[in-house]
Amino acid sequence: MQKIKSLMARQGLKSPQESVVDMSPVESFRTPSKEELRELREQPTDPQEEQEIIDRIEEVYFSSDSFDMVQYELEKLPPDLNLLELEEYRDKLKRQQAAVSKRVADLILEKQPSYVKELERVTSLQTNLQLAAVICTNARRQLHSAKEGFTEASLGLLANQRRRQLLTGLLKSLRTIKTLQRTDVRLSEMLEEEDYPGAIQLCLECQKAASTFKHYNCISELNSKLQDTLEQIEEQLDVALSKTCKHFDVSHYTKVQLAYKLLGKTQHITADSYIPCLTDLCKALWEVMLSYHLTMQWHDEHYKEEEATPGADDSSAEGSDESTVDRSYVKKKLEHGLTRIWQDVQLKVKAYLLGTDVSNFKYDDFIVVLDVISRLMQVGEEFCGSKSEVLQESIRRQSVNYFKNYHRTRLEELRMFLENETWELCPVKYNFSIAQLHEFKFMGQCRSPSVSPSRQPESTETVELSLFEQYLQGGNPFEMQIDNKEEETEDVLASNGYESDELEKSVYQDYDSDSDVPEELKQDYVDEQTGDAPVKSVSRETLRSRKRSDYNLNRANAPILTNTTLNVIRLVGKYMQMMNILKPIAFDVIHCVSQLFDYYLYAVYTFFGRNDMYESSGLGLISSRLRTTLSRIQESLIDVEAGGENAGPHASPEERKEKVPSPHLSQLVVLTASDTLYGLAERVVATESLVFLAEQFEFLHLHLDTMMPSAKKPFLQQFYSQTVSTASELRKPIYWIVAAKAIDYEQMLLLMAGVKWDIKEIMSQHNIYVDVLLKEFEKFNQRLGDVSKIVRIPLPVSNVLWEHCIRLANRTLVEGYANVKKCSNEGRALMQLDFQQFLMKLEKLTDLRPIPDKEFVETYIKAYYLTENDMEQFIKNHREYSMKQLTNLVNVCLGSHINKKARQKLLAAIDDIDRPKR
């Protein structure tokens, strides 16, 4: 096989595979010539035979394009060649080649139109590519010309301009820096010329410029240098200000003031540094006074030692007299110095106190100021026995100014609290006391007369020591003012009204025991006028039910108060702290304390007690004292013009400034729902919180009285007698509205109008209206119990409610009896039967004794039997009945035992009684 390959190489022959590789793409896909097509057509045309020939071609010929068919065929030759076999095999290969060539030719002829079309597209693409190459070449040539002729020159100009601007800015910055570096020279010149405002202005401008160029390293040093210069200017400014003390020059002083204004230091002491500076000032002054005190103490001890040592002989008598004179002289000088030094101390502290407006200080901060000044006045009293009138007047002026502003703000806050109050119970512990609030801790320290003497044992020895004795070895009495100012934690709130389950259990156990109940309380009731008790036994169950009649089993006996009440109590404590420290403004503070109570009372009355039906009720719900108190509060404290109420003459702006608009009830509080007894829970919380507040004021009465100046004590007495004591009187008008709406009295009148009273027989059965009325009371009692599940209803409250309901019911009965047109003796007996039935069933529902207005009904029924003369006297004596009721009584009696003439006489007597009212 190698011989055959070498022979082919010498003849220049190539394998078909290599021939195909050497051909160009176009040549490899050229169209066969006509001769070749003819030769191919001469081949067998049987498709089946042709397909069989192609199928017999070995698979290896189709394996890959790199297949070397010549090499493959040569390798297949046997070692011993046979010419005949070779020719047969050659003919086989030729037939296969012819079949493949024919198949290829057929495919070429089939695809020739597409081939020709694609060949044309290739030719067109080649032409377009040549054209594009020409265009790109021309474009590059033109861009190169534009770059050389325009872009490089223009952008070069722009770059040079930008560089110029940067260099110009740099030059300006360098000039500014150079100017800043030379500023100190100009500043020194201005200070020598005493142009302080100009120097400060220049220094501030330089600092501003330096902050702009702080990215330069040289500026950081300059900035610190400017700050040092500014401090130096301030020092020189203080020196310049001190020159004014010897010689006042308008121009010089004007420059100094303008310079301080530029420095922003016209207010030398800020609010934040006021207290520390005051404390430091007092500490420094204390050191001066302590040194002087020690000096006097040394002289006293030295003189005592000299007096204790006896003289050597009589010749020293003359020297002893001279020594005594010297001692007396020194002592007088030292004693005179005490007053002079203390006067200087007062003047310095006075200037400091009055130099700042403290009206906007926080309360705690102002209390610290008062503490410091109070301690300083104590030092003055121990130092020279001075009452410190200068300090007292200074602190009084500041305190009055501060307190007016503070109190005005607190009143506005109180109005806001009241207008947002929903009058829900604030749960506090059953043993809550105002002494547990940190605002009243000072009372335990000052030991006011209101504290039991048994609780004031300690610290008597400490009180006897003077401040100079306490701090003789070291320390300072003004160091303690800022310490221990943290508010102590309070534990006054209860969880769900109980401290624990054991407490709730103990409450029930307490109600089951009556061992601690006084004997007079175990009686059914006691006549308040005579003090006599009816002879009637009372069972243990009755007593137990009576003790539970205040509906408070599920709430123990915890005080009834709101968050607003607690805030008012805290305010009172803060006011009393100020009053305790500063006695001269005690009256102003107590007057403001009274306004807090007045406004709270007026708000509760306005929200729950104001009603136009009082006058027509005839029950005297508002006493003359309460009416006078409410009128006084409205005139002195309420800004009725702001509230849009009819105020009469307009008040001046200054007067209105001291008043507060009338508060308005929150819209969240509903007082018109019958299922809640018309807001009874809210009414109880509001009214009883006021009563509780009044009780706390009573507790503080003695303490306030000790602080009140003697000349002003009548004001305090009047406040307690005319205002504080009236708090419980608001129960009547407030709860009367509930009683008036809780029971349907009109229905009872309609039912009574349908009863026939001119009967001829004595009845043994009461009328139906009595049962209906009792049903109303039972329903009221049930709803009262439902409300008690929300808030505890104290016994006085339940008594007032029952009293109102019973009074209204009894007066409705009298009104119903007064509407009767005809009535016989038997009818009057029926009236008595009805009323007795009503009383009997009513006593089972309530423990209230005696039944209110019981005689009012009985007397009216019995008046039917009076003779003419007795009737006339009855009319004159019983003016509690209305003219209509008396007239009806006379008219019904006509024909039975009163004739027409007597009737006219009695009606005239009724008219005489009514005439003064008209």
Side-chain angles (χ1 to χ4, degrees), residues 290-306 327 330 334 472:
L290 178 61
S291 298
Y292 197 89
H293 175 78
L294 293 176
T295 302
M296 292 189 64
Q297 185 176 351
W298 182 90
H299 281 280
D300 291 340
E301 293 176 355
H302 183 67
Y303 294 155
K304 289 179 181 179
E305 290 178 359
E306 291 182 352
R327 294 174 188 173
V330 172
L334 290 174
L472 182 64

Side-chain angles (χ1 to χ4, degrees), residues 445-496:
Q445 300 170 0
C446 65
R447 299 302 177 193
S448 68
S450 61
V451 181
S452 173
S454 62
R455 302 187 62 179
Q456 326 178 1
E458 313 118 17
S459 71
T460 54
E461 296 181 0
T462 306
V463 174
E464 293 177 357
L465 293 176
S466 68
L467 293 176
F468 290 96
E469 292 171 339
Q470 293 180 40
Y471 299 98
L472 182 64
Q473 303 299 327
N476 197 296
F478 300 99
E479 292 177 350
M480 58 176 292
Q481 300 302 323
I482 310 299
D483 302 334
N484 300 326
K485 286 296 176 184
E486 296 182 1
E487 294 183 355
E488 300 181 14
T489 57
E490 300 173 347
D491 187 18
V492 298
L493 297 182
S495 176
N496 297 326

Side-chain angles (χ1 to χ4, degrees), residues 593-607:
V593 168
S594 69
Q595 287 186 339
L596 294 176
F597 187 86
D598 287 348
Y599 196 70
Y600 194 94
L601 183 145
Y602 186 84
V604 173
Y605 167 74
T606 304
F607 293 166

Side-chain angles (χ1 to χ4, degrees), residues 133-266:
V134 174
I135 293 173
C136 290
T137 304
N138 293 335
R140 287 179 178 178
R141 189 183 305 112
Q142 293 174 0
L143 284 175
H144 182 70
S145 301
K147 176 182 177 183
E148 293 179 351
F150 174 74
T151 305
E152 290 182 354
S154 300
L155 294 179
L157 290 174
L158 293 175
N160 291 334
Q161 178 64 21
R162 181 174 179 273
R163 191 178 298 109
R164 178 183 178 184
Q165 291 177 349
L166 291 175
L167 292 175
T168 302
L170 179 60
L171 180 62
K172 184 178 179 181
S173 299
L174 292 175
R175 287 175 178 171
T176 304
I177 293 174
K178 184 178 180 181
T179 303
L180 292 175
Q181 295 288 352
R182 296 179 178 178
T183 302
D184 56 345
V185 178
R186 178 57 184 157
L187 286 174
S188 299
E189 295 175 355
M190 298 178 77
L191 289 177
E192 291 178 359
E193 297 171 359
E194 294 187 349
D195 185 10
Y196 302 110
I200 294 173
Q201 186 69 33
L202 178 59
C203 193
L204 293 176
E205 291 178 356
C206 290
Q207 280 188 329
K208 184 177 180 182
S211 64
T212 306
F213 302 104
K214 61 183 179 181
H215 51 281
Y216 296 110
N217 294 331
C218 59
I219 293 298
S220 58
E221 299 179 358
L222 177 62
N223 204 5
S224 60
K225 183 179 180 181
L226 288 173
Q227 184 62 33
D228 295 338
T229 304
L230 193 61
E231 294 177 358
Q232 181 183 357
I233 294 174
E234 188 173 349
E235 292 176 0
Q236 295 192 18
L237 190 60
D238 293 338
V239 175
L241 180 61
S242 65
K243 293 180 180 180
T244 310
C245 300
K246 295 182 179 180
H247 175 70
F248 180 79
D249 181 77
V250 176
S251 176
H252 177 78
Y253 190 73
T254 303
K255 289 180 180 180
V256 171
Q257 287 296 321
L258 181 58
Y260 275 121
K261 186 175 182 181
L262 289 173
L263 287 174
K265 295 189 176 181
T266 53

